[in-house]
Amino acid sequence: MRTTQYLSEILMELHPSAELISDEAAEALVNGILDSKKVFVAGAGRSGFMAKSFAMRMMHMGIKAHVIGETVTPGFEKEDILIIGSGSGETKSLVSVAKKAKNIGGTIAAVTIFPESTIGQLADIIVQLPGSPKDQSEGDYNTIQPMGSLFEQTLLLFYDAIILRFMEKKDLDTNKMYGKHANLE
């Protein structure tokens, strides 16, 4: 198969994802972010990269967004929200972060394949995404892609959709957001 044919296959796998995500859960996440003082994101591996890209776009919108584990990340407080993207919902380091946030009393959101996971059980807001875990032993999706690629791609696109919903709710456009883009290069 040619590379472009693989790309077409990946896009076909991603296409039905939107229909499988709860609008109510997505809107609860949007409102949870809007109601919070600061937003914290976390994820491990490629899911962590998706979280960082989400934090960047929130910063472009003027939201105080931070990545767990960065040296300049401030303390988490009761008025804050922690959004954890984890396919399995069982990544030990993320479970630990979720437990700490729960003890502090802030809001926890889980974006995961498995809402019944440990992180899902700790969460106040759960958004279930379609996909397969890294070992592909469970999950509702069959995929040609390795490991958790389908979940990670869906996670990025879901986070981008959340940004578009914020833009709509806050009456922002790309020109207003561009003013917050890095300008020291």
Side-chain angles (χ1 to χ4, degrees), residues 32-149:
I33 295 168
L34 289 172
D35 293 341
S36 67
K37 183 176 170 186
K38 296 186 300 289
V39 179
F40 292 79
V41 298
R46 284 171 44 120
S47 295
F49 292 133
M50 305 313 161
K52 285 182 178 186
S53 70
F54 186 39
M56 176 188 272
R57 282 291 182 254
M58 285 190 284
M59 178 273 299
H60 291 151
M61 293 177 40
I63 294 170
K64 293 179 182 176
H66 308 281
V67 178
I68 296 293
E70 297 291 325
T71 56
V72 295
T73 301
F76 184 81
E77 301 172 300
K78 284 184 181 183
E79 304 85 17
D80 300 335
I81 186 169
L82 168 63
I83 303 165
I84 299 175
S86 172
S88 69
E90 298 295 343
T91 306
K92 293 199 183 314
S93 61
L94 298 176
V95 169
S96 177
V97 168
K99 287 180 178 177
K100 287 179 184 176
K102 191 75 168 178
N103 287 336
I104 292 168
T107 301
I108 301 169
V111 186
T112 183
I113 299 169
F114 300 107
E116 69 283 355
S117 65
T118 303
I119 294 171
Q121 290 177 26
L122 291 165
D124 304 293
I125 300 167
I126 301 171
V127 180
Q128 183 176 10
L129 298 188
S132 295
K134 286 187 274 279
D135 65 6
Q136 297 191 6
S137 62
E138 299 178 62
D140 299 332
Y141 256 53
N142 290 323
T143 175
I144 64 166
Q145 300 182 70
M147 302 172 63
S149 292

Side-chain angles (χ1 to χ4, degrees), residues 142-163:
N142 290 323
T143 175
I144 64 166
Q145 300 182 70
M147 302 172 63
S149 292
L150 181 60
F151 170 77
E152 295 146 2
Q153 293 157 353
T154 304
L155 184 62
L156 176 64
L157 295 175
F158 174 71
Y159 285 158
D160 280 349
I162 293 286
I163 294 300

